[in-house]
Amino acid sequence: MSDIEQRVKKIVTEQLGANEADVKNTSSFVDDLGADSLDTVELVMALEEEFDCEIPDEEAEKITTVQQAIDYVNAHVK
Amino acid sequence: MLSGQIALVTGASRGIGAAVALELGKQGATVIGTATTASGAEQISVALQQGGVKGEGVALDVNNAAQVEEVLKAIGEKHGTVSILVNNAGITRDTLLMRMSEDDWDAVMSTNLKSVFRLSQAVLRPMMKARQGRIISISSVVGHMGNAGQANYAAAKAGMSGFTKSLAREVGSRGITVNCVAPGFIDTDMTRALSEDQRNGLVQLVPVGRFGDVQDIAAAVAFLASPAAGYITGETLHVNGGMYMA
């Protein structure tokens, strides 16, 4: 598992209070991990903090799974 | 009752804000009071110290977004994150609408309403993390009754109520409550500016038969800030001696 993948999963686990085992790359925040709209906002804010970046709203809307979050960070964070 | 809490009270150098700051401190909170000037901030520090309250005054112009961010950061580093926000800072620019300038409108909207948006947003993130928080905005009976000569002030105060209800819905699940306290006629510099005749006329409208004291408002704010009020959110608590009953 890459470093970024690990960090993203750690944040998702903490932020959504999920079991580590349930947080898979394919997991959807809302459908699989039980996030509500406020959770997803908090999650994006936590990712911004962790990776020291700003995720615009229109991009944030498209991040709905763990893999999409990893892909976003890989593509946008140096 | 509030020990371990960090309270931020805007406009705390005099009037209702000063009383609220002292009362929250007496209940055990660490209090940071803001004033627009350095001398006002110093005055707050002295008042808190004389009242035996932990905390200090800081200079803050609630219309300055960058300064809000700076001050919140400094408070976080020095005292910890804010868990009780009291939006009290406010101004009046009274005049009949026929004569109201756009500046009169904008100044009141910015200081009284936009500041509520700005400060609330600034404290929300740590409150969400902590899964607790209290946001209390001081509105006015005028926001519910209307008042000739105060279209700008009444609009801003009524706006607080809609803001409060919306934010209460957004963050209720995170243990954060959002409420307003709406004072009636309170004996402060703002109402002492009225003539004796005006004041006597106004008292006739109040069933309790007197102007309110700043302490009447401070007590209501302290209640909403307390754990006892955890199931009250999106509400406006009217403290007006019965002159207006919602």
Side-chain angles (χ1 to χ4, degrees):
Chain A
M1 206 186 296
S2 75
D3 168 55
I4 284 177
E5 185 172 344
Q6 250 172 15
R7 282 158 72 193
V8 168
K9 284 185 174 169
K10 182 162 175 282
I11 287 170
V12 172
T13 307
E14 280 173 6
Q15 204 59 241
L16 303 183
N19 282 321
E20 227 177 304
D22 295 336
V23 180
K24 303 187 174 69
N25 291 39
T26 53
S27 300
S28 152
F29 303 133
V30 174
D31 297 335
D32 300 321
L33 302 174
D36 64 18
S37 63
L38 196 54
D39 285 321
T40 57
V41 172
E42 281 186 283
L43 184 60
V44 167
M45 282 161 56
L47 289 169
E48 288 177 332
E49 203 167 285
E50 171 74 19
F51 295 102
D52 195 22
C53 63
E54 267 197 38
I55 307 175
D57 280 349
E58 58 273 22
E59 295 289 334
E61 274 168 27
K62 294 183 209 146
I63 304 175
T64 62
T65 67
V66 175
Q67 188 60 50
Q68 284 165 354
I70 294 166
D71 291 345
Y72 183 89
V73 173
N74 275 325
H76 293 88
V77 179
K78 302 272 174 312
Chain B
M1 201 162 71
L2 299 177
S3 61
Q5 306 292 318
I6 313 286
L8 175 62
V9 182
T10 63
S13 62
R14 58 200 174 111
I16 289 171
V20 167
L22 265 184
E23 182 62 29
L24 294 178
K26 284 181 181 153
Q27 304 284 345
T30 298
V31 181
I32 294 91
T34 77
T36 47
T37 61
S39 64
E42 181 55 34
Q43 203 182 316
I44 295 168
S45 293
V46 170
L48 292 176
Q49 204 179 8
Q50 282 173 351
V53 168
K54 279 176 298 184
E56 61 175 332
V58 296
L60 172 67
D61 173 5
V62 294
N63 293 312
N64 184 331
Q67 214 180 54
V68 168
E69 199 175 320
E70 257 170 54
V71 165
L72 263 296
K73 190 160 172 259
I75 293 170
E77 283 163 5
K78 191 166 173 189
H79 301 283
T81 57
V82 173
S83 54
I84 300 167
L85 168 66
V86 181
N87 289 306
N88 170 72
I91 57 167
T92 54
R93 289 280 189 88
D94 297 354
T95 186
L96 296 174
L97 187 69
M98 293 285 289
R99 299 194 53 84
M100 190 176 289
S101 71
E102 204 162 304
D103 277 352
D104 293 332
W105 175 269
D106 287 343
V108 167
M109 279 297 160
S110 180
T111 302
N112 296 17
L113 186 57
K114 192 168 184 183
S115 66
V116 172
F117 151 76
R118 197 172 273 144
L119 271 298
S120 301
Q121 196 175 51
V123 300
L124 207 51
R125 197 165 172 175
M127 283 184 182
M128 301 243 291
K129 273 193 177 156
R131 293 289 190 266
Q132 66 148 351
R134 295 280 188 270
I135 296 175
I136 300 159
S137 300
I138 307 300
S139 67
S140 168
V141 68
V142 160
H144 296 261
M145 288 176 73
N147 194 20
Q150 292 198 305
N152 49 1
Y153 187 77
K157 294 300 189 183
M160 276 182 181
S161 166
F163 172 91
T164 292
K165 290 175 187 174
S166 300
L167 184 58
R169 287 184 188 275
E170 288 185 18
V171 299
S173 66
R174 299 303 191 269
I176 303 166
T177 67
V178 192
N179 292 290
C180 289
V181 171
F185 290 113
I186 307 299
D187 194 21
T188 64
D189 291 347
M190 221 187 246
T191 49
R192 270 174 226 133
L194 302 167
S195 72
E196 189 65 27
D197 276 357
Q198 281 175 313
R199 285 171 62 95
N200 289 338
L202 288 171
V203 167
Q204 302 299 315
L205 304 173
V206 182
V208 169
R210 63 170 174 91
F211 270 48
D213 187 85
V214 289
Q215 198 51 39
D216 295 320
I217 306 305
V221 173
F223 166 62
L224 288 174
S226 75
Y231 203 57
I232 302 173
T233 194
E235 192 55 61
T236 294
L237 179 49
H238 289 271
V239 184
N240 59 34
M243 70 171 284
Y244 172 81
M245 301 180 193

